Amino acid sequence: MVDDVVWYAESAVSPNMLVRFDPKSETFERWPIPSGGSVVCNMAPAPGGDLALACSGVDTVALIEITKRAN
């Protein structure tokens, strides 16, 4: 979890999608992974609250910039 939300990559779709689940509001949000992602092998928090994805099928490390929402 990053900031009390769950992030995961959805790979059974084209393009692959980055999914955010907020357990407090029980809502999902989805964004396409620009590189397609191929296979996202690992995902980890990055400095500054961002998210790093290892997209092995396209030999890419993606940095997802997370912006805070106003409440």
Side-chain angles (χ1 to χ4, degrees), residues 34-68:
S35 67
S38 188
V39 176
V40 176
C41 291
N42 294 292
M43 187 180 305
D50 294 334
L51 193 60
L53 309 178
C55 305
S56 66
V58 290
D59 295 326
T60 301
V61 174
L63 181 61
I64 309 299
E65 295 179 8
I66 308 297
T67 57
K68 302 292 182 192

Side-chain angles (χ1 to χ4, degrees), residues 2-71:
V2 176
D3 291 332
D4 296 328
V5 297
V6 177
W7 291 93
Y8 64 93
E10 197 172 61
S11 60
V13 296
S14 183
N16 289 345
M17 302 294 284
L18 181 63
V19 182
R20 177 186 184 271
F21 174 68
D22 182 342
K24 290 179 185 172
S25 64
E26 298 182 353
T27 57
F28 290 88
E29 292 180 273
R30 301 170 70 225
W31 298 270
I33 297 173
S35 67
S38 188
V39 176
V40 176
C41 291
N42 294 292
M43 187 180 305
D50 294 334
L51 193 60
L53 309 178
C55 305
S56 66
V58 290
D59 295 326
T60 301
V61 174
L63 181 61
I64 309 299
E65 295 179 8
I66 308 297
T67 57
K68 302 292 182 192
R69 296 169 182 246
N71 290 335

